[in-house]
Amino acid sequence: MKRAFVYLLICIISVSLTGCGEIYMDKHEINEIDLIRAVGLDNIGDNNIRMILPLLETQSTGGRGSSESSSPGQSRIVKEDGRTIFEAEVKVHSYLMKDLSWHHVQFVIIGEEAAKEDIVKYFDFITRDHEPRLSMLPLIAENDSAENIIDQINTSNTVIAKKLKTITDGTGARSVSSKLELHDLIKMLDNKYASSYIPSIRLVKRIERQGEDKDKKDVELNGYAIIKGRRLIGYINDDTARGLNFIKNKAEDGVIILKDKNGNQISMEMLGAHTDIIPKIKDNKLEVDIKVEAGFAIAEYEGYKDIFDKKTLDEIVKAENKIVKQNIDSVVNYAKKNKADFMGIGDSVYHKYPVEWDDYYKKNWEDNFANIKINIDVKSKVSRTFNLREVTRGKENKK
Amino acid sequence: MFFKKNHKLEENKEVSKIVTENTITTQKIKDILGKSSDVTFRRMNINGNKNLSFSSVHINGMVDSLKASEFILQPILTNEVFKKSMTTEEIVKLIEEGSIYYASQTTRKDLNEVVKDVIDGSIAIIFDKENIAFTFDVKGFEHRSVSEPTSENVRKGGKDCFVEVLRVNTATIRRRIKTSSLVFEEKLVGEQSLTKIAIIYIDGITNVEIVDNVKKKIDEIHIDDLISIGKLSEYITEKKYSLFPMIDYTERPDKFCADINEGRVGIIVDGLPLGVIVPAELAKFIQAPEDYSQDPIFSSLIRILRYILVILTVVLPGLYVAITTFHSEMIPTELAISIAQSKEGVPFPVFLEVIIMLIAFEVLVEAGLHLPRTIGQAVSIVGALVVGEAAVNAKLISPAVVIVIAAAAIASYTIPNQDLSNAIRVWRFIFVIFSSLAGLFGLYMGVILLLFILARMESFGIPYLVPYAGSKSKEISDSFLRMPNYFNEKRPSFLKTYNKKRQG
């Protein structure tokens, strides 16, 4: 008996030693919390912010056999203003029936105004609080406010977070954007000698809808917002954005279109690329080599002649190299023009020449960075032609 | 007369009526057994000679009367050898020399032994003048024939099983283990029932300490009757409140013999169609005899699955409570939403839901055990409809809980041993309570508590958690996996057998 009491005592003491003072109070039944899956943050002037929470309309499914369908339903959008994000959050708490849970936040959309003002300010609550995860994906609303984007894409049959997930999962297909998790962004923002990039989204009209959703729009993930210091300075899109993906080793898939000598178009499918950034010091002068190796396959050819002999393939490779080089060139030029090293070249220099970096280069790196010579060397190849059979009706033309 | 009533029994457990003067006469036996109507006494004369008289005693129904008359009485009364004799003395001598050619004949000079034999199903031939009796084992009573095991399914093993008669069971074992070192030691237990218990082991393999321990424990049993396995298990195990089974039992002789060969001690109780095996460790209950008759790789996979399911069945309800009330961030978003949606409108907290469902399941199991077969179907339909369908539709319970409890319930039936399964069912409740108090932390506390209790347990001097703890690597692998037979060169070291090698 005495023994049992001692064991019981040990159990009770160890519970109270965990540091979770309100261990019993900390429980929330799963149906008593509102899962936030995406958050929009806007600057509405006068130093006030607006938090937009698309919450799921939890409708009971009624169990088996009930006729009610369990469609996800239109999100109930809660908007709240406050001087800080936390103030807005507390306000929401005061009138929402359920507790807000930030554990499941997958996306945070920052409005353009907010990004122009000071982006770091908006991430502090998210990174300081223990609930939000650092694996969420930050997005910038390009030329738009987060509120407008969330309002515009809130259709009755798709959950906003699912829509955003679809486009972030599909970034590899065109390689004009990429997934960037919050912790990676924080690392970039922490770096005093570099700028950062954040994937940007914008509204487009893609799907024709009927009824109440007629005016609703879709989102597209294209390009990056470039953050210098704490502020947004501009956007890079399409080819320029792909150039950044090449540099960041994030180019996976994509299409480039070439022309053969007869003017027929050839679609080249990218099969992946690998880039090395190699800084070197030559005669006390810093130079950076960007070496890209890329593989392509022929996905489509408009002409009817079988033209893929060695000579043509060499020409195709040359054209490929040119296009990839153009992509990278444009992003390098953008970076140099804006004196924003979001490509991480400073990091490469630091890793290769830590002593020289500390002594000399790190000082005013972004200002000096524009003067550094950057050599771009692209080596691409045609890995596959898929020339399994002759072009359809190609024989006739031979005669 | 010379017997006391209501006396305290002596150490050697004699018949309840002790006779102070131990000479054998028909009258004395009549005094002891005569009150019962099923005891038959007869007085007969050899050759019609009144000087050559003897009497016979047997219990109706316990002996095969055909055997008794043809092989025992007929020779005495008609055999040529006996015709020549003039005194009973000569006849006794002749019988002692084997003139009644019956195999199991015993000469008795002790009255108590005669009575014991008669009760046990022998016929006794008593010569009053010489104070001597001969007992002949002519048992012949109705018993169940050896059939297929009913509670343990056999796919590839022997399809015989233990029956209620001790002698049949010992013979079944003897047929499988023919070594001369196989020992059956018999003891009588139960002051009224005088149940025969056979302790079975192989001399030269089984550790004597275990055998002595078992014998000592059985000698210490002082009860009226021993007609259930529970009594035996309670009296011979050290820890009585551990919930977990400390002895293994089987109705399959092949499993029993395999364990005897391994160096364990078997116990067979007359009247019980079960073989008890001691010592038993936890790992033994998770193994099934069928594992060894299938491909080692397949059996290993099944065994791994079984271990996963054992953990699942004990932890799953608690885990569900912990995660849904404390750690909703651990659930994938989509699943969290669908659980939350399915729980919408259910008035009870998850903890209560889980407890209600667990109790409902136990009710169904208990009801199923006692149901007459004819109405079993009706109840199972009610159970399925009420618990599965109606409770969910009435928003008493969310479907997710039904799934969790059903999964845990089905998983618990993959444990080959029912006693272990019962213990785990109780611990399931404890884990749910721990989880509801402190989430995953509470669950871990519960798991630690369970491991602590298991680690303290011993079965006949053998730690309960061998071979998981304190054993050689080879033995551990044969608990989680089923190693090929050539791998198991030695008997389990924790049994401390004298002959360590079992092959090669």
Side-chain angles (χ1 to χ4, degrees):
Chain A
M1 202 56 221
K2 210 173 168 186
R3 244 191 190 174
F5 179 74
V6 169
Y7 295 145
L8 199 72
L9 204 71
I10 290 173
C11 283
I12 293 168
I13 289 172
S14 53
V15 165
S16 59
L17 283 180
T18 55
C20 310
E22 300 176 326
I23 193 149
Y24 189 78
M25 303 294 286
D26 203 35
K27 71 195 254 183
H28 296 291
E29 294 280 328
I30 193 164
N31 57 334
E32 286 164 9
I33 48 174
D34 250 326
L35 300 182
I36 311 171
R37 299 177 69 185
V39 183
L41 297 171
D42 270 329
N43 176 10
I44 54 165
D46 293 340
N47 232 348
N48 278 357
I49 65 103
R50 176 169 292 166
M51 184 170 72
I52 304 105
L53 302 171
L55 296 176
L56 206 69
E57 199 66 71
T58 40
Q59 40 179 237
S60 71
T61 52
R64 263 191 308 165
S66 102
S67 56
E68 222 175 318
S69 71
S70 57
S71 73
Q74 194 161 12
S75 296
R76 168 170 52 111
I77 294 177
V78 177
K79 296 173 189 175
E80 190 55 66
D81 298 347
R83 278 166 296 176
T84 61
I85 301 174
F86 186 60
E87 193 188 44
E89 205 244 1
V90 169
K91 277 187 191 170
V92 174
H93 260 298
S94 67
Y95 59 77
L96 217 59
M97 213 172 74
K98 298 175 174 181
D99 270 334
L100 287 176
S101 157
W102 285 74
H103 296 296
H104 290 269
V105 178
Q106 285 167 303
F107 301 98
V108 50
I109 305 173
I110 309 282
E112 194 183 53
E113 287 305 314
K116 275 183 182 163
E117 185 209 351
D118 179 2
I119 195 149
V120 180
K121 165 179 144 184
Y122 290 87
F123 286 126
D124 187 75
F125 170 71
I126 294 169
T127 48
R128 190 181 296 273
D129 195 79
H130 72 278
E131 280 192 2
R133 290 182 188 169
L134 292 182
S135 62
M136 69 171 72
L137 306 176
L139 300 168
I140 299 286
E142 188 175 342
N143 303 321
D144 215 333
S145 66
E147 184 182 5
N148 189 39
I149 285 192
I150 289 174
D151 279 343
Q152 289 290 319
I153 62 172
N154 183 24
T155 52
S156 59
N157 52 11
T158 327
V159 179
I160 288 172
K162 268 190 189 164
K163 244 180 213 174
L164 293 173
K165 191 166 168 28
T166 320
I167 58 165
T168 47
D169 284 351
T171 49
R174 285 184 65 208
S175 293
V176 290
S177 190
S178 62
K179 268 191 183 179
L180 177 79
E181 299 192 340
L182 184 58
H183 55 90
D184 288 328
L185 174 64
I186 299 293
K187 240 186 274 168
M188 276 196 284
L189 288 170
D190 271 344
N191 191 341
K192 217 161 84 180
Y193 310 105
S195 299
S196 340
Y197 59 93
I198 306 173
S200 63
I201 53 170
R202 60 182 176 213
L203 286 172
V204 284
K205 186 81 181 163
R206 284 268 157 75
I207 303 167
E208 284 303 322
R209 293 189 181 80
Q210 301 296 323
E212 54 171 325
D213 294 338
K214 207 175 174 187
D215 301 327
K216 292 287 164 75
K217 290 192 177 148
D218 304 288
V219 267
E220 161 183 85
L221 193 56
N222 189 346
Y224 297 99
I226 304 300
I227 311 288
K228 191 178 175 184
R230 301 161 78 99
R231 277 167 202 85
L232 175 83
I233 53 163
Y235 301 95
I236 54 172
N237 297 102
D238 295 319
D239 287 352
T240 317
R242 190 189 291 141
L244 180 60
N245 273 352
F246 272 119
I247 292 174
K248 285 278 160 195
N249 266 324
K250 280 178 171 176
E252 292 166 31
D253 218 333
V255 180
I256 60 173
I257 292 173
L258 313 170
K259 277 188 181 154
D260 75 351
K261 54 196 168 199
N262 302 327
N264 296 317
Q265 295 192 89
I266 309 171
S267 304
M268 303 298 296
E269 181 193 1
M270 195 157 70
L271 300 173
H274 178 76
T275 310
D276 289 315
I277 300 175
I278 306 161
K280 52 187 178 186
I281 296 177
K282 239 189 201 174
D283 309 331
N284 264 340
K285 253 188 138 182
L286 184 68
E287 268 181 42
V288 177
D289 285 357
I290 296 178
K291 282 188 177 166
V292 185
E293 279 172 33
F296 291 86
I298 291 160
E300 194 186 359
Y301 173 54
E302 278 183 349
Y304 44 78
K305 259 187 183 167
D306 199 355
I307 54 158
F308 299 113
D309 53 9
K310 182 144 193 331
K311 204 180 138 211
T312 341
L313 288 177
D314 284 347
E315 277 169 21
I316 289 174
V317 165
K318 261 184 211 160
E320 280 167 8
N321 287 350
K322 204 178 145 199
I323 288 179
V324 174
K325 194 162 185 291
Q326 274 172 5
N327 285 180
I328 297 176
D329 256 340
S330 70
V331 73
V332 168
N333 289 338
Y334 182 91
K336 281 185 171 176
K337 203 178 88 194
N338 290 295
K339 296 186 175 171
D341 175 23
F342 51 86
M343 300 176 293
I345 287 175
D347 266 354
S348 319
V349 177
Y350 165 65
H351 284 130
K352 184 136 191 215
Y353 302 109
V355 178
E356 288 88 340
W357 170 262
D358 266 358
D359 287 352
Y360 179 64
Y361 294 114
K362 81 173 179 185
K363 215 171 164 192
N364 297 329
W365 164 252
E366 288 203 302
D367 291 334
N368 300 333
F369 147 80
N371 305 323
I372 286 165
K373 195 181 170 200
I374 293 177
N375 311 311
I376 301 160
D377 176 26
V378 182
K379 270 186 196 152
S380 71
K381 58 180 177 180
V382 178
S383 307
R384 288 174 205 114
T385 61
F386 297 116
N387 245 16
L388 293 178
R389 59 188 288 275
E390 241 173 275
V391 186
T392 311
R393 294 189 75 116
K395 265 180 193 160
E396 277 176 36
N397 283 289
K398 261 186 190 171
K399 279 172 195 170
Chain B
M1 303 285 357
F2 308 107
F3 46 82
K4 292 186 254 169
K5 273 182 186 168
N6 302 329
H7 65 282
K8 228 183 164 194
L9 260 152
E10 278 163 47
E11 274 289 273
N12 57 351
K13 287 188 201 71
E14 287 302 337
V15 190
S16 53
K17 296 168 182 178
I18 294 292
V19 180
T20 42
E21 205 180 317
N22 236 338
T23 49
I24 300 173
T25 61
T26 314
Q27 188 55 46
K28 279 183 186 168
I29 292 175
K30 254 188 192 161
D31 289 338
I32 296 171
L33 293 173
K35 280 183 188 165
S36 302
S37 58
D38 60 345
V39 185
T40 308
F41 291 89
R42 276 193 72 197
R43 194 149 194 94
M44 283 169 272
N45 298 329
I46 296 171
N47 256 341
N49 188 341
K50 273 188 187 166
N51 289 331
L52 304 180
S53 74
F54 68 95
S55 45
S56 78
V57 192
H58 72 272
I59 296 178
N60 272 337
M62 291 286 284
V63 301
D64 185 344
S65 23
L66 195 71
K67 256 194 223 167
S69 16
E70 273 191 21
F71 302 135
I72 318 293
L73 298 178
Q74 200 187 15
I76 300 180
L77 295 172
T78 61
N79 230 350
E80 288 297 319
V81 239
F82 294 113
K83 282 183 181 167
K84 289 174 195 159
S85 336
M86 293 312 290
T87 58
T88 46
E89 210 171 315
E90 279 174 46
I91 289 172
V92 167
K93 212 177 166 208
L94 280 168
I95 295 176
E96 271 184 326
E97 282 165 1
S99 294
I100 305 176
Y101 29 84
Y102 193 75
S104 60
Q105 168 191 331
T106 329
T107 311
R108 293 292 188 201
K109 285 176 179 164
D110 188 307
L111 183 66
N112 290 319
E113 284 179 345
V114 178
V115 174
K116 226 195 272 180
D117 282 354
V118 169
I119 289 174
D120 213 30
S122 295
I123 184 167
I125 306 286
I126 304 153
F127 294 92
D128 282 351
K129 270 189 208 157
E130 277 70 32
N131 284 335
I132 200 164
F134 297 98
T135 57
F136 302 90
D137 188 358
V138 284
K139 265 194 217 92
F141 45 82
E142 292 299 316
H143 64 80
R144 193 164 62 93
S145 59
V146 176
S147 58
E148 226 180 289
T150 47
S151 61
E152 286 166 76
N153 294 331
V154 185
R155 269 168 292 169
K156 273 180 169 175
K159 301 227 170 189
D160 51 353
C161 87
F162 286 129
V163 294
E164 284 80 359
V165 186
L166 181 79
R167 263 303 145 251
V168 178
N169 292 344
T170 52
T172 315
I173 295 160
R174 193 64 95 173
R175 276 217 309 279
R176 280 191 167 79
I177 307 175
K178 289 187 176 134
T179 170
S180 55
S181 333
L182 179 70
V183 180
F184 293 99
E185 270 189 47
E186 281 181 20
K187 285 189 180 295
L188 282 181
V189 173
E191 334 254 289
Q192 308 302 329
S193 68
L194 291 164
T195 312
K196 255 189 202 159
I197 284 188
I199 300 162
I200 301 151
Y201 59 92
I202 297 179
D203 211 8
I205 290 180
T206 316
N207 192 307
V208 174
E209 269 179 45
I210 300 173
V211 179
D212 288 346
N213 198 347
V214 172
K215 278 196 236 167
K216 204 181 101 212
K217 292 267 171 57
I218 286 176
D219 284 338
E220 282 167 4
I221 303 178
H222 296 293
I223 47 173
D224 270 354
D225 54 33
L226 185 72
I227 44 179
S228 72
I229 198 95
K231 274 194 180 165
L232 181 71
S233 117
E234 262 180 50
Y235 282 106
I236 64 173
T237 52
E238 292 94 342
K239 284 227 161 200
K240 288 169 183 65
Y241 307 108
S242 68
L243 258 179
F244 283 85
M246 307 292 285
I247 59 166
D248 194 11
Y249 59 86
T250 177
E251 54 176 349
R252 295 180 55 172
D254 51 352
K255 183 188 172 190
F256 189 83
C257 292
D259 283 332
I260 300 286
N261 280 329
E262 205 173 52
R264 296 177 202 265
V265 179
I267 303 168
I268 286 187
V269 180
D270 194 26
L272 287 175
L274 293 169
V276 174
I277 300 149
V278 291
E281 72 278 6
L282 184 65
K284 197 171 181 317
F285 299 112
I286 306 175
Q287 297 172 359
E290 294 294 311
D291 291 354
Y292 291 94
S293 53
Q294 275 155 345
D295 183 78
I297 296 169
F298 176 76
S299 294
S300 299
L301 294 174
I302 291 291
R303 229 177 235 188
I304 293 168
L305 180 71
R306 213 180 278 145
Y307 272 95
I308 293 171
L309 289 176
V310 167
I311 294 165
L312 194 79
T313 187
V314 63
V315 161
L316 189 64
L319 194 67
Y320 180 78
V321 170
I323 286 183
T324 50
T325 45
F326 288 90
H327 317 281
S328 59
E329 70 274 13
M330 283 182 71
I331 318 173
T333 313
E334 296 292 327
L335 185 62
I337 287 167
S338 69
I339 290 176
Q341 272 178 348
S342 76
K343 217 183 146 342
E344 199 65 34
V346 176
F348 305 118
V350 177
F351 164 68
L352 217 58
E353 272 186 277
V354 168
I355 289 284
I356 289 172
M357 271 305 290
L358 279 175
I359 291 174
F361 168 70
E362 296 301 325
V363 168
L364 282 181
V365 169
E366 190 59 22
L369 273 179
H370 302 302
L371 278 178
R373 260 175 221 167
T374 41
I375 58 167
Q377 218 173 2
V379 170
S380 62
I381 287 170
V382 169
L385 279 179
V386 169
V387 176
E389 190 84 36
V392 169
N393 277 343
K395 303 249 162 116
L396 284 173
I397 281 157
S398 64
V401 172
V402 177
I403 294 167
V404 166
I405 303 301
I410 292 171
S412 75
Y413 285 107
T414 56
I415 303 169
N417 187 290
Q418 195 57 45
D419 287 350
L420 180 64
S421 175
N422 292 346
I424 279 177
R425 269 156 61 191
V426 176
W427 271 95
R428 209 145 64 184
F429 279 93
I430 298 173
F431 281 0
V432 168
I433 292 166
F434 270 82
S435 303
S436 75
L437 290 176
L440 278 184
F441 176 78
L443 183 63
Y444 295 148
M445 290 302 293
V447 171
I448 290 168
L449 182 70
L450 174 61
L451 287 178
F452 173 72
I453 287 171
L454 287 178
R456 274 165 51 98
M457 277 162 63
E458 267 186 9
S459 171
F460 292 85
I462 284 165
Y464 201 53
L465 285 185
V466 288
Y468 311 131
S471 202
K472 286 170 193 156
S473 60
K474 267 193 174 185
E475 282 160 10
I476 297 170
S477 59
D478 197 46
S479 62
F480 292 113
L481 303 174
R482 197 286 251 179
M483 302 308 282
N485 275 320
Y486 65 80
F487 204 84
N488 298 329
E489 282 171 353
K490 289 177 178 170
R491 289 173 222 284
S493 63
F494 51 83
L495 289 173
K496 298 192 178 66
T497 49
Y498 297 124
N499 183 349
K500 295 205 169 14
K501 258 190 170 181
R502 65 172 145 188
Q503 56 179 285

